[in-house]
Amino acid sequence: MNDILERLKKEIPNNSSVIIATSGGPDSMVLLTLLLAVKKEKNLKLVCAHVNHKLRKESDDEAKMVKKYCEKENIIFEYMIIDKYKGNTENYAREKRYEFFDKLIKKYASPYLLTAHHGDDLTETIMMRLIRGSSLKGYAGFSEVTEKNGYKIYRPLITKTKTELLNYAKENNIPYAIDQTNESDNYTRNRIRKYILPTLKKENINVHLKFLEFSKTISETEEYFEKVLVKKIEKIYQDNKLNVEIFLTEEPLIQKKLIHNILNDVYKDKINLINDNHVNNFLSTVKNKKPNIQINLPDNKILKKAYNYVWIEENKNYEEYDYILKDKVTLPNNHTIEIIDETTDHSNFVTKLNSKEIKLPIHIRPKKDGDKLVLKGLNKQKKLKDIFIDEKIPIDKRNSWPVITDDNDEIIWLPGLKKTKFDREKQRNYDIIIRYR
């Protein structure tokens, strides 16, 4: 780790306050320990920022372990608990973590937030985005240093692998905790880590460094495009409206990059809500010969086209909601969805689920563009909009109709209309009963 120590000494100014995002896992505990090695020489004030997500029974013990280590090494310990979640758990947790980090940056006037992302993390992130689709910038994953709101996010371990960090922790008796959920096959990242990454490493043990080179090349290309686009976007996108006539004179690659820039400008920190389908729908709307078009976008927004202009605005006729079902929820349409102990009702107003077959918690939300589900008894997906048409649901009711999903946003029930492949009939096969009325 001598190379990491030298980079830390070179990158971080003397007499600085440094915030270290510390989960308690081996990666962040190694980073915290490395910073101790340069603390005296650089006269640094180290601030350990730990977030307890309260999602695992081990969370409290991990917080105590990190705090104990900080007290022993004379490191400032800052602590936050997230005990209530809204919407997608992972996205909400990330949003709250960075709000916490931002407050600490201001409190300690720190120019740096250090995170323990390593080379394997970067490789997994790039592969996930290649699988799901992303923008050019997204395919780069993350960089060693990122500018954010007046400070830098620094990832000094980006050239190291998980194995190297684990070995270092063991050799130096550094305490750490292991998150057992990282072994679950329910998560895409875990499956990539367990099954794909080892195969790549058989081909090249330093494949993470090749992905780092790939990331840098993509980032350099992105920077070049940004310079090219500055002058073009001033002509094509004025007053938050896209000029269709001028836009269509550009090359396809420039067109897509302009759309990504517009979406980045609109969604900012919520850009992860956007995928390839939204970009393609945006492009199709611009190219469509119809003079007036309107399509829904995530986060209660709509894309509108009126003759030669296209823009994004808030959908004022759309009531957005996202509830986590714990026992009972009253919906905007005044219906209720509740968990019950037993029932003799076998209609579409009740579903019975096996908690081992879905990712908890259970969410209730309105429809989204592109929603699909696998109906009970069928082996193929069906579009939600086709179900609404088949069931003759009025257009004004479709936007607020409740859709039940798991935490991966997979639809597990369409209350009052259709059951999905997750519905179970025999009592030994289910442990959750939900009723809609």
Side-chain angles (χ1 to χ4, degrees):
M1 297 290 167
N2 289 334
D3 55 333
I4 303 299
L5 288 171
E6 290 306 312
R7 288 218 299 274
L8 288 170
K9 291 175 184 178
K10 183 178 179 181
E11 179 70 31
I12 301 175
N14 292 340
N15 307 310
S16 297
S17 295
V18 179
I19 314 298
I20 308 103
T22 312
S23 66
D27 316 330
S28 60
M29 293 303 291
V30 165
L31 177 58
L32 197 59
T33 304
L34 290 172
L35 283 161
L36 279 173
V38 298
K39 176 183 177 183
K40 188 174 182 180
E41 180 180 335
K42 304 283 289 186
N43 191 31
L44 303 179
K45 178 186 286 186
L46 301 184
V47 181
C48 169
H50 180 77
V51 179
N52 184 345
H53 296 90
K54 287 287 186 179
L55 294 174
R56 296 177 292 112
K57 60 182 180 181
E58 302 88 358
S59 296
D60 291 340
D61 290 336
E62 290 165 7
K64 291 175 184 176
M65 181 269 291
V66 176
K67 183 178 181 181
K68 182 178 178 181
Y69 184 80
C70 289
E71 289 173 347
K72 175 187 172 186
E73 301 294 348
N74 195 29
I75 300 171
I76 299 169
F77 179 73
E78 291 280 1
Y79 184 53
M80 175 194 182
I81 295 175
I82 306 176
D83 52 9
K84 293 182 180 179
Y85 289 83
K86 297 178 182 179
N88 180 276
T89 303
E90 186 176 347
N91 290 338
Y92 183 79
R94 186 181 187 281
E95 183 180 324
K96 289 300 174 183
R97 277 199 306 273
Y98 275 90
E99 284 180 6
F100 175 54
F101 298 151
D102 285 347
K103 288 178 182 177
L104 295 181
I105 288 288
K106 293 177 182 177
K107 178 178 178 180
Y108 293 97
S110 174
Y112 281 97
L113 167 67
L114 270 66
T115 72
H117 292 97
H118 50 73
D120 288 351
D121 288 330
L122 177 62
T123 304
E124 294 160 12
T125 299
I126 292 172
M127 284 196 285
M128 283 178 65
R129 292 181 181 174
L130 287 169
I131 292 167
R132 294 177 177 176
S134 185
S135 63
L136 184 64
K137 183 178 181 180
Y139 288 131
F142 52 80
S143 57
E144 184 175 0
V145 180
T146 306
E147 299 281 346
K148 185 182 189 297
N149 300 334
Y151 66 90
K152 293 180 179 180
I153 300 176
Y154 181 32
R155 305 174 181 91
L157 304 181
I158 200 169
T159 58
K160 300 299 179 183
T161 66
K162 181 75 172 185
T163 299
E164 289 177 292
L165 297 173
L166 270 171
N167 289 341
Y168 186 85
K170 291 174 182 176
E171 291 166 3
N172 292 274
N173 297 315
I174 300 171
Y176 62 85
I178 295 294
D179 183 351
Q180 296 300 328
T181 62
N182 289 334
E183 296 300 315
S184 171
D185 284 354
N186 290 333
Y187 307 98
T188 303
R189 182 180 288 275
N190 290 359
R191 294 193 296 273
I192 291 172
R193 181 186 304 125
K194 291 171 66 178
Y195 305 116
I196 300 177
L197 195 52
T199 302
L200 293 176
K201 289 189 176 188
K202 286 180 182 178
E203 299 295 327
N204 182 348
I205 192 64
N206 291 318
V207 70
H208 65 289
L209 297 179
K210 296 300 180 183
F211 272 83
L212 180 56
E213 288 177 18
F214 172 82
S215 174
K216 289 178 179 178
T217 300
I218 294 293
S219 294
E220 289 167 0
T221 306
E222 167 76 13
E223 288 176 13
Y224 171 76
F225 267 121
E226 285 300 318
K227 292 176 182 177
V228 171
L229 288 173
V230 168
K231 293 181 180 179
K232 290 183 179 292
I233 204 164
E234 289 175 356
K235 296 179 181 179
I236 298 172
Y237 189 62
Q238 296 181 350
D239 299 323
N240 297 321
K241 289 187 177 182
L242 183 145
N243 185 305
V244 174
E245 185 178 355
I246 302 175
F247 176 87
L248 293 177
T249 64
E250 297 294 338
E251 294 293 325
L253 186 61
I254 297 295
Q255 290 178 354
K256 276 206 168 184
K257 189 66 183 71
L258 284 165
I259 290 174
H260 279 297
N261 280 32
I262 292 169
L263 290 169
N264 269 307
D265 181 59
V266 171
Y267 281 90
K268 297 182 173 59
D269 290 341
K270 294 183 178 181
I271 192 61
N272 61 313
L273 298 175
I274 298 297
N275 58 38
D276 281 356
N277 289 332
H278 300 120
V279 175
N280 291 333
N281 288 340
F282 193 128
L283 187 58
S284 297
T285 300
V286 177
K287 291 183 175 181
N288 199 304
K289 295 187 182 300
K290 292 181 180 178
N292 293 285
I293 302 175
Q294 177 176 310
I295 64 171
N296 291 326
L297 289 174
D299 199 34
N300 195 25
K301 292 179 175 56
I302 51 176
L303 180 71
K304 282 188 173 183
K305 178 185 179 184
Y307 297 96
N308 193 46
Y309 291 96
V310 173
W311 68 94
I312 297 173
E313 65 180 40
E314 294 293 322
N315 189 351
K316 298 176 182 178
N317 297 319
Y318 176 78
E319 189 163 11
E320 184 182 23
Y321 59 87
D322 190 340
Y323 303 109
I324 291 179
L325 180 62
K326 293 183 178 179
D327 43 37
K328 183 178 180 179
V329 170
T330 300
L331 302 170
N333 61 6
N334 293 320
H335 289 265
T336 61
I337 291 180
E338 59 184 339
I339 295 176
I340 58 177
D341 294 327
E342 57 183 28
T343 183
T344 57
D345 188 349
H346 298 288
S347 73
N348 288 325
F349 286 84
V350 169
T351 190
K352 300 169 184 178
L353 307 168
N354 186 330
S355 60
K356 294 180 180 179
E357 298 176 348
I358 60 176
K359 184 187 176 187
L360 298 175
I362 293 171
H363 293 256
I364 308 169
R365 63 160 174 82
K367 73 177 185 68
K368 294 180 180 178
D369 286 341
D371 267 343
K372 295 178 182 178
L373 59 157
V374 178
L375 297 178
K376 186 174 182 179
L378 296 180
N379 292 321
K380 61 179 182 179
Q381 289 185 323
K382 185 166 184 176
K383 292 181 179 179
L384 179 56
K385 70 175 184 178
D386 290 340
I387 294 174
F388 282 142
I389 292 170
D390 294 344
E391 298 295 323
K392 297 181 171 55
I393 303 299
I395 292 177
D396 61 329
K397 291 186 177 181
R398 294 177 192 176
N399 280 341
S400 60
W401 197 280
V403 176
I404 312 301
T405 76
D406 69 357
D407 203 45
N408 285 328
D409 206 33
E410 182 162 8
I411 297 176
I412 57 179
W413 184 35
L414 193 57
L417 293 180
K418 294 291 181 182
K419 297 181 182 182
T420 72
K421 65 177 182 179
F422 294 101
D423 186 76
R424 296 290 172 259
E425 294 180 357
K426 296 181 180 178
Q427 188 169 1
R428 60 186 174 86
N429 290 334
Y430 64 82
D431 54 4
I432 300 173
I433 305 174
I434 310 176
R435 179 172 62 194
Y436 175 59
R437 62 178 183 177

PDB file of all heavy atoms in Angstrom, residues 135-161:
ATOM      1  N   SER A 135     -25.541   6.538 -20.291  1.00  0.00           N
ATOM      2  CA  SER A 135     -24.986   7.578 -21.156  1.00  0.00           C
ATOM      3  C   SER A 135     -23.495   7.335 -21.316  1.00  0.00           C
ATOM      4  O   SER A 135     -22.917   6.477 -20.639  1.00  0.00           O
ATOM      5  CB  SER A 135     -25.219   8.949 -20.529  1.00  0.00           C
ATOM      6  OG  SER A 135     -24.524   9.046 -19.289  1.00  0.00           O
ATOM      7  N   LEU A 136     -22.855   8.103 -22.194  1.00  0.00           N
ATOM      8  CA  LEU A 136     -21.405   7.983 -22.368  1.00  0.00           C
ATOM      9  C   LEU A 136     -20.704   8.226 -21.033  1.00  0.00           C
ATOM     10  O   LEU A 136     -19.804   7.466 -20.642  1.00  0.00           O
ATOM     11  CB  LEU A 136     -20.917   8.987 -23.423  1.00  0.00           C
ATOM     12  CG  LEU A 136     -19.435   8.925 -23.783  1.00  0.00           C
ATOM     13  CD1 LEU A 136     -19.098   7.584 -24.417  1.00  0.00           C
ATOM     14  CD2 LEU A 136     -19.055  10.067 -24.709  1.00  0.00           C
ATOM     15  N   LYS A 137     -21.127   9.243 -20.337  1.00  0.00           N
ATOM     16  CA  LYS A 137     -20.546   9.559 -19.028  1.00  0.00           C
ATOM     17  C   LYS A 137     -20.782   8.424 -18.040  1.00  0.00           C
ATOM     18  O   LYS A 137     -19.898   8.064 -17.257  1.00  0.00           O
ATOM     19  CB  LYS A 137     -21.164  10.854 -18.489  1.00  0.00           C
ATOM     20  CG  LYS A 137     -20.590  11.330 -17.170  1.00  0.00           C
ATOM     21  CD  LYS A 137     -21.236  12.634 -16.746  1.00  0.00           C
ATOM     22  CE  LYS A 137     -20.661  13.135 -15.436  1.00  0.00           C
ATOM     23  NZ  LYS A 137     -21.298  14.430 -15.023  1.00  0.00           N
ATOM     24  N   GLY A 138     -21.972   7.840 -18.086  1.00  0.00           N
ATOM     25  CA  GLY A 138     -22.309   6.745 -17.178  1.00  0.00           C
ATOM     26  C   GLY A 138     -21.450   5.519 -17.390  1.00  0.00           C
ATOM     27  O   GLY A 138     -21.081   4.819 -16.440  1.00  0.00           O
ATOM     28  N   TYR A 139     -21.099   5.229 -18.654  1.00  0.00           N
ATOM     29  CA  TYR A 139     -20.283   4.051 -18.951  1.00  0.00           C
ATOM     30  C   TYR A 139     -18.875   4.163 -18.372  1.00  0.00           C
ATOM     31  O   TYR A 139     -18.172   3.157 -18.257  1.00  0.00           O
ATOM     32  CB  TYR A 139     -20.203   3.830 -20.465  1.00  0.00           C
ATOM     33  CG  TYR A 139     -21.495   3.338 -21.078  1.00  0.00           C
ATOM     34  CD1 TYR A 139     -22.032   3.949 -22.207  1.00  0.00           C
ATOM     35  CD2 TYR A 139     -22.189   2.269 -20.516  1.00  0.00           C
ATOM     36  CE1 TYR A 139     -23.224   3.505 -22.770  1.00  0.00           C
ATOM     37  CE2 TYR A 139     -23.373   1.814 -21.069  1.00  0.00           C
ATOM     38  CZ  TYR A 139     -23.893   2.442 -22.194  1.00  0.00           C
ATOM     39  OH  TYR A 139     -25.068   1.997 -22.742  1.00  0.00           O
ATOM     40  N   ALA A 140     -18.454   5.356 -18.008  1.00  0.00           N
ATOM     41  CA  ALA A 140     -17.129   5.542 -17.390  1.00  0.00           C
ATOM     42  C   ALA A 140     -17.111   5.086 -15.944  1.00  0.00           C
ATOM     43  O   ALA A 140     -16.038   4.944 -15.347  1.00  0.00           O
ATOM     44  CB  ALA A 140     -16.709   7.005 -17.477  1.00  0.00           C
ATOM     45  N   GLY A 141     -18.280   4.854 -15.353  1.00  0.00           N
ATOM     46  CA  GLY A 141     -18.341   4.449 -13.948  1.00  0.00           C
ATOM     47  C   GLY A 141     -18.090   5.632 -13.047  1.00  0.00           C
ATOM     48  O   GLY A 141     -18.888   6.565 -12.983  1.00  0.00           O
ATOM     49  N   PHE A 142     -16.972   5.622 -12.341  1.00  0.00           N
ATOM     50  CA  PHE A 142     -16.592   6.769 -11.503  1.00  0.00           C
ATOM     51  C   PHE A 142     -15.089   6.990 -11.639  1.00  0.00           C
ATOM     52  O   PHE A 142     -14.334   6.091 -12.017  1.00  0.00           O
ATOM     53  CB  PHE A 142     -16.983   6.559 -10.039  1.00  0.00           C
ATOM     54  CG  PHE A 142     -16.509   5.254  -9.438  1.00  0.00           C
ATOM     55  CD1 PHE A 142     -15.197   5.101  -9.000  1.00  0.00           C
ATOM     56  CD2 PHE A 142     -17.364   4.172  -9.313  1.00  0.00           C
ATOM     57  CE1 PHE A 142     -14.753   3.911  -8.445  1.00  0.00           C
ATOM     58  CE2 PHE A 142     -16.929   2.970  -8.774  1.00  0.00           C
ATOM     59  CZ  PHE A 142     -15.623   2.837  -8.326  1.00  0.00           C
ATOM     60  N   SER A 143     -14.651   8.196 -11.341  1.00  0.00           N
ATOM     61  CA  SER A 143     -13.238   8.541 -11.486  1.00  0.00           C
ATOM     62  C   SER A 143     -12.564   8.622 -10.121  1.00  0.00           C
ATOM     63  O   SER A 143     -13.228   8.599  -9.081  1.00  0.00           O
ATOM     64  CB  SER A 143     -13.086   9.875 -12.220  1.00  0.00           C
ATOM     65  OG  SER A 143     -13.784  10.902 -11.534  1.00  0.00           O
ATOM     66  N   GLU A 144     -11.252   8.737 -10.137  1.00  0.00           N
ATOM     67  CA  GLU A 144     -10.500   8.813  -8.875  1.00  0.00           C
ATOM     68  C   GLU A 144     -10.868  10.065  -8.091  1.00  0.00           C
ATOM     69  O   GLU A 144     -11.019  10.028  -6.866  1.00  0.00           O
ATOM     70  CB  GLU A 144      -8.995   8.783  -9.155  1.00  0.00           C
ATOM     71  CG  GLU A 144      -8.147   8.749  -7.900  1.00  0.00           C
ATOM     72  CD  GLU A 144      -6.664   8.595  -8.195  1.00  0.00           C
ATOM     73  OE1 GLU A 144      -6.299   8.523  -9.391  1.00  0.00           O
ATOM     74  OE2 GLU A 144      -5.871   8.553  -7.235  1.00  0.00           O
ATOM     75  N   VAL A 145     -11.031  11.181  -8.787  1.00  0.00           N
ATOM     76  CA  VAL A 145     -11.393  12.446  -8.138  1.00  0.00           C
ATOM     77  C   VAL A 145     -12.590  13.051  -8.868  1.00  0.00           C
ATOM     78  O   VAL A 145     -12.605  13.133 -10.099  1.00  0.00           O
ATOM     79  CB  VAL A 145     -10.219  13.443  -8.152  1.00  0.00           C
ATOM     80  CG1 VAL A 145     -10.624  14.750  -7.464  1.00  0.00           C
ATOM     81  CG2 VAL A 145      -8.991  12.846  -7.478  1.00  0.00           C
ATOM     82  N   THR A 146     -13.601  13.452  -8.108  1.00  0.00           N
ATOM     83  CA  THR A 146     -14.799  14.070  -8.669  1.00  0.00           C
ATOM     84  C   THR A 146     -15.088  15.373  -7.944  1.00  0.00           C
ATOM     85  O   THR A 146     -15.026  15.435  -6.706  1.00  0.00           O
ATOM     86  CB  THR A 146     -16.028  13.134  -8.510  1.00  0.00           C
ATOM     87  OG1 THR A 146     -15.737  11.865  -9.078  1.00  0.00           O
ATOM     88  CG2 THR A 146     -17.252  13.729  -9.201  1.00  0.00           C
ATOM     89  N   GLU A 147     -15.378  16.414  -8.697  1.00  0.00           N
ATOM     90  CA  GLU A 147     -15.754  17.707  -8.101  1.00  0.00           C
ATOM     91  C   GLU A 147     -17.233  17.684  -7.724  1.00  0.00           C
ATOM     92  O   GLU A 147     -18.070  17.237  -8.503  1.00  0.00           O
ATOM     93  CB  GLU A 147     -15.508  18.840  -9.090  1.00  0.00           C
ATOM     94  CG  GLU A 147     -14.065  18.994  -9.531  1.00  0.00           C
ATOM     95  CD  GLU A 147     -13.214  19.714  -8.498  1.00  0.00           C
ATOM     96  OE1 GLU A 147     -13.801  20.317  -7.575  1.00  0.00           O
ATOM     97  OE2 GLU A 147     -11.973  19.682  -8.636  1.00  0.00           O
ATOM     98  N   LYS A 148     -17.555  18.157  -6.516  1.00  0.00           N
ATOM     99  CA  LYS A 148     -18.957  18.174  -6.077  1.00  0.00           C
ATOM    100  C   LYS A 148     -19.204  19.302  -5.082  1.00  0.00           C
ATOM    101  O   LYS A 148     -18.640  19.309  -3.988  1.00  0.00           O
ATOM    102  CB  LYS A 148     -19.336  16.836  -5.420  1.00  0.00           C
ATOM    103  CG  LYS A 148     -20.823  16.732  -5.050  1.00  0.00           C
ATOM    104  CD  LYS A 148     -21.092  15.396  -4.376  1.00  0.00           C
ATOM    105  CE  LYS A 148     -22.594  15.160  -4.182  1.00  0.00           C
ATOM    106  NZ  LYS A 148     -23.216  16.140  -3.288  1.00  0.00           N
ATOM    107  N   ASN A 149     -20.033  20.258  -5.477  1.00  0.00           N
ATOM    108  CA  ASN A 149     -20.488  21.306  -4.555  1.00  0.00           C
ATOM    109  C   ASN A 149     -19.361  21.969  -3.756  1.00  0.00           C
ATOM    110  O   ASN A 149     -19.466  22.145  -2.545  1.00  0.00           O
ATOM    111  CB  ASN A 149     -21.534  20.747  -3.583  1.00  0.00           C
ATOM    112  CG  ASN A 149     -22.767  20.213  -4.290  1.00  0.00           C
ATOM    113  OD1 ASN A 149     -23.090  20.647  -5.393  1.00  0.00           O
ATOM    114  ND2 ASN A 149     -23.448  19.267  -3.668  1.00  0.00           N
ATOM    115  N   GLY A 150     -18.271  22.310  -4.428  1.00  0.00           N
ATOM    116  CA  GLY A 150     -17.205  23.035  -3.746  1.00  0.00           C
ATOM    117  C   GLY A 150     -16.186  22.163  -3.042  1.00  0.00           C
ATOM    118  O   GLY A 150     -15.290  22.694  -2.366  1.00  0.00           O
ATOM    119  N   TYR A 151     -16.302  20.849  -3.144  1.00  0.00           N
ATOM    120  CA  TYR A 151     -15.291  19.966  -2.568  1.00  0.00           C
ATOM    121  C   TYR A 151     -15.029  18.802  -3.516  1.00  0.00           C
ATOM    122  O   TYR A 151     -15.683  18.658  -4.542  1.00  0.00           O
ATOM    123  CB  TYR A 151     -15.719  19.460  -1.181  1.00  0.00           C
ATOM    124  CG  TYR A 151     -16.928  18.544  -1.161  1.00  0.00           C
ATOM    125  CD1 TYR A 151     -16.786  17.155  -1.267  1.00  0.00           C
ATOM    126  CD2 TYR A 151     -18.214  19.049  -1.006  1.00  0.00           C
ATOM    127  CE1 TYR A 151     -17.881  16.314  -1.227  1.00  0.00           C
ATOM    128  CE2 TYR A 151     -19.322  18.222  -0.965  1.00  0.00           C
ATOM    129  CZ  TYR A 151     -19.150  16.844  -1.068  1.00  0.00           C
ATOM    130  OH  TYR A 151     -20.234  16.016  -1.037  1.00  0.00           O
ATOM    131  N   LYS A 152     -14.038  17.990  -3.177  1.00  0.00           N
ATOM    132  CA  LYS A 152     -13.669  16.860  -4.030  1.00  0.00           C
ATOM    133  C   LYS A 152     -13.995  15.531  -3.349  1.00  0.00           C
ATOM    134  O   LYS A 152     -13.740  15.379  -2.147  1.00  0.00           O
ATOM    135  CB  LYS A 152     -12.173  16.909  -4.361  1.00  0.00           C
ATOM    136  CG  LYS A 152     -11.751  18.079  -5.232  1.00  0.00           C
ATOM    137  CD  LYS A 152     -10.254  18.040  -5.503  1.00  0.00           C
ATOM    138  CE  LYS A 152      -9.830  19.206  -6.388  1.00  0.00           C
ATOM    139  NZ  LYS A 152      -8.350  19.173  -6.645  1.00  0.00           N
ATOM    140  N   ILE A 153     -14.558  14.609  -4.132  1.00  0.00           N
ATOM    141  CA  ILE A 153     -14.697  13.233  -3.675  1.00  0.00           C
ATOM    142  C   ILE A 153     -13.480  12.478  -4.205  1.00  0.00           C
ATOM    143  O   ILE A 153     -13.256  12.410  -5.413  1.00  0.00           O
ATOM    144  CB  ILE A 153     -15.989  12.581  -4.194  1.00  0.00           C
ATOM    145  CG1 ILE A 153     -17.214  13.371  -3.712  1.00  0.00           C
ATOM    146  CG2 ILE A 153     -16.089  11.125  -3.720  1.00  0.00           C
ATOM    147  CD1 ILE A 153     -18.524  12.857  -4.269  1.00  0.00           C
ATOM    148  N   TYR A 154     -12.683  11.945  -3.308  1.00  0.00           N
ATOM    149  CA  TYR A 154     -11.419  11.306  -3.676  1.00  0.00           C
ATOM    150  C   TYR A 154     -11.506   9.813  -3.358  1.00  0.00           C
ATOM    151  O   TYR A 154     -11.864   9.421  -2.242  1.00  0.00           O
ATOM    152  CB  TYR A 154     -10.280  11.979  -2.898  1.00  0.00           C
ATOM    153  CG  TYR A 154      -8.897  11.451  -3.188  1.00  0.00           C
ATOM    154  CD1 TYR A 154      -8.541  10.950  -4.444  1.00  0.00           C
ATOM    155  CD2 TYR A 154      -7.917  11.468  -2.198  1.00  0.00           C
ATOM    156  CE1 TYR A 154      -7.266  10.472  -4.697  1.00  0.00           C
ATOM    157  CE2 TYR A 154      -6.627  11.004  -2.440  1.00  0.00           C
ATOM    158  CZ  TYR A 154      -6.318  10.494  -3.691  1.00  0.00           C
ATOM    159  OH  TYR A 154      -5.059  10.023  -3.933  1.00  0.00           O
ATOM    160  N   ARG A 155     -11.147   8.983  -4.348  1.00  0.00           N
ATOM    161  CA  ARG A 155     -11.209   7.519  -4.208  1.00  0.00           C
ATOM    162  C   ARG A 155      -9.796   6.955  -4.409  1.00  0.00           C
ATOM    163  O   ARG A 155      -9.478   6.433  -5.478  1.00  0.00           O
ATOM    164  CB  ARG A 155     -12.185   6.941  -5.228  1.00  0.00           C
ATOM    165  CG  ARG A 155     -13.575   7.578  -5.148  1.00  0.00           C
ATOM    166  CD  ARG A 155     -14.485   7.082  -6.276  1.00  0.00           C
ATOM    167  NE  ARG A 155     -15.812   7.708  -6.220  1.00  0.00           N
ATOM    168  CZ  ARG A 155     -16.131   8.840  -6.853  1.00  0.00           C
ATOM    169  NH1 ARG A 155     -15.212   9.463  -7.592  1.00  0.00           N
ATOM    170  NH2 ARG A 155     -17.353   9.336  -6.757  1.00  0.00           N
ATOM    171  N   PRO A 156      -8.972   7.019  -3.384  1.00  0.00           N
ATOM    172  CA  PRO A 156      -7.554   6.648  -3.543  1.00  0.00           C
ATOM    173  C   PRO A 156      -7.308   5.154  -3.763  1.00  0.00           C
ATOM    174  O   PRO A 156      -6.209   4.775  -4.186  1.00  0.00           O
ATOM    175  CB  PRO A 156      -6.921   7.111  -2.228  1.00  0.00           C
ATOM    176  CG  PRO A 156      -8.046   7.130  -1.247  1.00  0.00           C
ATOM    177  CD  PRO A 156      -9.253   7.516  -2.020  1.00  0.00           C
ATOM    178  N   LEU A 157      -8.296   4.296  -3.477  1.00  0.00           N
ATOM    179  CA  LEU A 157      -8.096   2.847  -3.600  1.00  0.00           C
ATOM    180  C   LEU A 157      -8.501   2.307  -4.965  1.00  0.00           C
ATOM    181  O   LEU A 157      -8.593   1.093  -5.154  1.00  0.00           O
ATOM    182  CB  LEU A 157      -8.889   2.116  -2.507  1.00  0.00           C
ATOM    183  CG  LEU A 157      -8.608   2.531  -1.061  1.00  0.00           C
ATOM    184  CD1 LEU A 157      -9.455   1.694  -0.106  1.00  0.00           C
ATOM    185  CD2 LEU A 157      -7.135   2.391  -0.718  1.00  0.00           C
ATOM    186  N   ILE A 158      -8.719   3.176  -5.921  1.00  0.00           N
ATOM    187  CA  ILE A 158      -9.281   2.779  -7.213  1.00  0.00           C
ATOM    188  C   ILE A 158      -8.370   1.819  -7.997  1.00  0.00           C
ATOM    189  O   ILE A 158      -8.830   1.104  -8.892  1.00  0.00           O
ATOM    190  CB  ILE A 158      -9.606   4.035  -8.051  1.00  0.00           C
ATOM    191  CG1 ILE A 158     -10.612   3.711  -9.155  1.00  0.00           C
ATOM    192  CG2 ILE A 158      -8.339   4.664  -8.614  1.00  0.00           C
ATOM    193  CD1 ILE A 158     -11.181   4.942  -9.848  1.00  0.00           C
ATOM    194  N   THR A 159      -7.082   1.777  -7.642  1.00  0.00           N
ATOM    195  CA  THR A 159      -6.161   0.870  -8.348  1.00  0.00           C
ATOM    196  C   THR A 159      -6.000  -0.473  -7.631  1.00  0.00           C
ATOM    197  O   THR A 159      -5.271  -1.348  -8.109  1.00  0.00           O
ATOM    198  CB  THR A 159      -4.767   1.511  -8.482  1.00  0.00           C
ATOM    199  OG1 THR A 159      -4.268   1.826  -7.169  1.00  0.00           O
ATOM    200  CG2 THR A 159      -4.823   2.768  -9.326  1.00  0.00           C
ATOM    201  N   LYS A 160      -6.674  -0.659  -6.502  1.00  0.00           N
ATOM    202  CA  LYS A 160      -6.539  -1.884  -5.712  1.00  0.00           C
ATOM    203  C   LYS A 160      -7.758  -2.789  -5.873  1.00  0.00           C
ATOM    204  O   LYS A 160      -8.848  -2.337  -6.218  1.00  0.00           O
ATOM    205  CB  LYS A 160      -6.349  -1.541  -4.227  1.00  0.00           C
ATOM    206  CG  LYS A 160      -5.111  -0.704  -3.936  1.00  0.00           C
ATOM    207  CD  LYS A 160      -3.836  -1.431  -4.335  1.00  0.00           C
ATOM    208  CE  LYS A 160      -2.601  -0.597  -4.069  1.00  0.00           C
ATOM    209  NZ  LYS A 160      -1.364  -1.270  -4.511  1.00  0.00           N
ATOM    210  N   THR A 161      -7.571  -4.068  -5.592  1.00  0.00           N
ATOM    211  CA  THR A 161      -8.676  -5.029  -5.648  1.00  0.00           C
ATOM    212  C   THR A 161      -9.183  -5.325  -4.244  1.00  0.00           C
ATOM    213  O   THR A 161      -8.506  -5.036  -3.243  1.00  0.00           O
ATOM    214  CB  THR A 161      -8.235  -6.350  -6.296  1.00  0.00           C
ATOM    215  OG1 THR A 161      -7.258  -6.983  -5.447  1.00  0.00           O
ATOM    216  CG2 THR A 161      -7.646  -6.114  -7.676  1.00  0.00           C
TER     217      THR A 161
END
